[in-house]
Amino acid sequence: MFAAFSDNRVVSVARCKRHTDGMELDGVFTPDELRGHGYANAAVWGLVEACGHDTMYMHSVATLTGFYGHYGFLLIPEYELPDTIRERYAWAQGEMEGANVAPMKRPPADPI
């Protein structure tokens, strides 16, 4: 779990979860009244810096694919998601667009 703080208060969070077949970014949240200050950016960058040595997957809200694109996430077809990550949206029965989510993948960062 990664968090951004302002005045010793958590203002945004992001989670990276290890599955048996891949890493998943999920749980990015900033309260409405705190949005627009770069807090989610700070939380996600912290997560990417710590977990970016592995390939990461996610189900992005469809309108936020550009936001996650800044961190190296690319749109992928649903079938490219690892099984355990794809399972989270099994109820959508292959209709990711209808569920307002878009599968994304971030390749591992190049070693320094």
Side-chain angles (χ1 to χ4, degrees):
M1 184 65 93
F2 296 82
F5 291 83
S6 178
D7 296 324
N8 294 318
R9 175 179 165 204
V10 174
V11 292
S12 188
V13 295
R15 178 174 75 165
C16 186
K17 183 177 179 185
R18 182 176 296 281
H19 294 262
T20 56
D21 55 359
M23 299 286 280
E24 179 184 21
L25 165 63
D26 75 345
V28 178
F29 178 74
T30 304
D32 287 341
E33 68 274 11
L34 298 174
R35 293 182 182 168
H37 300 283
Y39 299 139
N41 181 57
V44 174
W45 268 126
L47 182 149
V48 167
E49 287 177 6
C51 302
H53 56 279
D54 289 320
T55 300
M56 290 190 289
Y57 298 90
M58 69 178 303
H59 291 94
S60 171
V61 172
T63 57
L64 295 177
T65 58
F67 173 78
Y68 292 110
H70 293 289
Y71 308 98
F73 282 90
L74 307 167
L75 289 168
I76 60 170
E78 182 181 0
Y79 68 82
E80 286 188 26
L81 290 169
D83 290 341
T84 60
I85 296 170
R86 189 173 51 248
E87 280 177 7
R88 290 190 60 224
Y89 278 85
W91 57 268
Q93 299 179 359
E95 296 295 327
M96 292 283 123
E97 188 175 325
N100 195 36
V101 296
M104 298 187 83
K105 173 182 178 179
R106 183 185 185 280
D110 291 332
I112 298 176

